[in-house]
Every structure is written in C-alpha cells, then in structure tokens.
Amino acid sequence: MFLFRGRGQRLSIGEARTRTGGDSPEAVLLDVREKPEWRTGHAPGAVHAPLTALAEGASLPAAVRGRPLVVICRSGQRSQRAVKLLAERGADAVDVKGGMNAWAAAGLPVIDERGDGGSIA
C-alpha cells in the first residue's frame, strides 16, 4: 500500500507525528541526519539512516524496508534529497517540512542516544 506516492507534498510536523506515532503507526520516521546530530537529539521511535550513507548505496535498515517513510533531517533540505533518492529506489517516502528544528520548536519530544532529553543543534 502506498500512502504517499504521487502526492508531491511535504508533511507538517503535526502530520508527521500523527502518521509515525502511536501503537500502530502507518509509517516510519526516518532520520537522515549524520551520526553526531542523531546522538545529540532525535525524535523517539525514529530510525537512523544518514543521507551520506544512503547516497553511497547503503540499504535501508531492515526494520523499515517496504514500509512508508516519513523522512526528517535538521531543516528539511536533506530530507527532500533523501526522498528523491529513496523514491528512485521504489520507496514510498515523503519529507517533513522544517525538519527537527520545527519538531523541537513545536515542543515535541527530543531524546539523545541514551534516551535522555536531547537537543537539536
């Protein structure tokens, strides 16, 4: 089932949280920032797959393959590139407008690599 294919729109932070949260999310939140950014702060439940690795041909983590993807980065620039790359590989993906900056500004939870309170640099 394709939730996003052909839509050409970007999701708001609220839409992203709705689609990737809860007990039975319809999509996976995929964070494409680099490892130091991820360690400092990311959304709970997000899966990490750096854009640089994806651009070099790395596969998506097994847990997200075949699932609709909501792609997020710091500001929304890298996530747009990631969505294009992933769509070329056949993935059902859409990006989040404003990225983690907007996520944190909206007061949504951010955790560090230990699961403690994180921050977006």
Side-chain angles (χ1 to χ4, degrees), residues 10-67:
R10 303 177 76 192
L11 296 183
S12 70
I13 292 300
E15 291 170 316
R17 185 165 192 216
T18 297
R19 293 181 181 182
T20 62
D23 293 332
S24 184
E26 65 186 50
V28 175
L29 186 63
L30 185 71
D31 192 320
V32 296
R33 295 174 303 142
E34 296 305 311
K35 195 173 225 173
E37 295 171 290
W38 169 264
R39 285 181 181 147
T40 302
H42 57 273
V47 174
H48 187 224
L51 177 58
T52 53
L54 293 173
E56 292 172 355
S59 297
L60 285 169
V64 305
R65 291 183 202 146
R67 302 221 24 228

Side-chain angles (χ1 to χ4, degrees), residues 2-14:
F2 294 109
L3 295 174
F4 309 125
R5 187 146 303 165
R7 294 182 70 186
Q9 71 177 21
R10 303 177 76 192
L11 296 183
S12 70
I13 292 300

Side-chain angles (χ1 to χ4, degrees), residues 31 33-44 48 74 100-101 103-104 108-121:
D31 192 320
R33 295 174 303 142
E34 296 305 311
K35 195 173 225 173
E37 295 171 290
W38 169 264
R39 285 181 181 147
T40 302
H42 57 273
H48 187 224
R74 183 177 49 83
M100 286 301 298
N101 285 336
W103 183 279
L108 297 177
V110 176
I111 58 172
D112 66 14
E113 66 181 335
R114 295 179 308 266
D116 298 328
S119 64
I120 305 305

